[in-house]
Amino acid sequence: MTLNAEWTVYLVDDDDDDALFFEMAVKQTHSNCIVRRCANGENFMFELHKNRQVATSLVFLDLTMPSLSGIEILRQVRAVPFSSNLPVVILSGSQSPSAIGQAYKAGVTGYLSKPAFHGDWTFVLDRAIHFAKKISIQS
C-alpha cells in the first residue's frame, strides 16, 4: 500500500457548509481520495460495519452533533476490533482543553480546529490526510 493508493476519507458532520468545504478541499489536494459523508454517528457506524475496508480509510469527526458526539463515535470505533487502529481526527470549532483531553483519552489520532476560510481547509486537510496515510502505512 502506498501514499498514492486510493483512500476513502469519511467525514462525520451534520453541517452542510462544513461538509462542502471539506469535500472541495480534499478533492483539490487528494484527487485519489473518495469522500464519504455521514451526517451522524449512526450512519457512520453502519458504513463502517458494512464496508470493513479500514486499511485505506481515514475518519474526520465533528465534535458536536445531535445524538452521538464525536467522542462517543470515537469510543465506538475503538471498541470494534477491526477498526481499533483506524486513523480518526476530530475536526471541531471547539478548542476546549477538556474536549481535547477527552478526545485523546478516547484514542483520537489528532485534533484539529475547523478552518474559517476555504484556503485554510485545503492546507489543514492536506497535512492531516498526508500524516494519517503515513502512519497507516507504517503500522
Side-chain angles (χ1 to χ4, degrees):
M1 172 178 10
T2 69
L3 283 174
N4 294 325
E6 186 175 89
W7 286 70
T8 301
V9 177
Y10 290 94
L11 172 65
V12 185
D13 194 330
D14 61 322
D15 186 297
D16 292 336
D17 291 334
D18 286 347
L20 176 65
F21 289 134
F22 180 94
E23 186 167 358
M24 288 173 26
V26 172
K27 290 298 180 187
Q28 185 176 350
T29 58
H30 294 271
S31 59
N32 61 328
C33 288
I34 298 166
V35 177
R36 292 199 157 171
R37 179 194 177 199
C38 298
N40 59 56
E42 293 87 354
N43 289 349
F44 172 68
M45 292 308 294
F46 176 79
E47 284 282 323
L48 181 68
H49 286 285
K50 182 177 83 171
N51 292 327
R52 291 182 166 242
Q53 296 176 345
V54 297
T56 56
S57 296
L58 316 171
V59 179
F60 289 86
L61 298 173
D62 184 20
L63 184 62
T64 308
M65 291 183 287
S67 187
L68 295 175
S69 73
I71 300 293
E72 292 166 327
I73 299 164
L74 174 61
R75 287 183 181 127
Q76 287 184 18
V77 168
R78 294 297 181 236
V80 176
F82 69 84
S83 66
S84 62
N85 292 321
L86 177 66
V88 179
V89 175
I90 296 284
L91 189 59
S92 177
S94 171
Q95 286 302 303
S96 158
S98 172
I100 295 169
Q102 285 182 330
Y104 280 102
K105 188 175 181 180
V108 77
T109 307
Y111 191 106
L112 299 171
S113 293
K114 283 186 178 180
F117 303 102
H118 173 67
D120 294 337
W121 278 91
T122 303
F123 177 78
V124 166
L125 293 177
D126 176 46
R127 301 302 347 135
I129 291 169
H130 186 73
F131 172 74
K133 285 181 175 184
K134 283 183 88 169
I135 63 169
S136 291
I137 290 170
Q138 293 171 358
S139 325

